Amino acid sequence: KLGNRVVGPHQPLIGRIKNLWLKRILIKVEKEVSTSQVKAIFRQQISEFYKSQANHSTAIVVDVDPV
């Protein structure tokens, strides 16, 4: 659904903090796209990701204004 809007995953400058491995994925969204639709897609994709038992120990943090 997100197609070529997904950039990454990339290793940030600091790749691990307190035995937690970090990956950065950037998703670009056009300004004219409905914010509520984008949020709904993200929620649905994240919940699909967590349906797999192997992904239960993974934490996903959404940052709407990355630096």
Side-chain angles (χ1 to χ4, degrees), residues 6-44:
V6 178
V7 180
H10 296 287
Q11 186 80 17
L13 289 175
I14 300 173
R16 184 172 63 159
I17 299 175
K18 294 184 181 180
N19 285 335
L20 297 175
W21 293 94
L22 307 173
K23 296 288 182 187
R24 172 174 263 172
I25 300 172
L26 180 65
I27 301 171
K28 297 182 176 187
V29 180
E30 297 84 4
K31 290 182 181 181
E32 56 274 357
V33 175
S34 166
T35 306
S36 59
Q37 286 179 329
V38 171
K39 287 180 181 179
I41 292 171
F42 284 170
R43 280 191 209 100
Q44 192 267 332

Side-chain angles (χ1 to χ4, degrees), residues 45-67:
Q45 292 299 314
I46 290 170
S47 93
E48 284 293 319
F49 177 81
Y50 282 126
K51 284 183 181 178
S52 170
Q53 186 67 32
N55 296 331
H56 281 233
S57 64
T58 303
I60 296 176
V61 178
V62 178
D63 183 359
V64 297
D65 194 20
V67 177

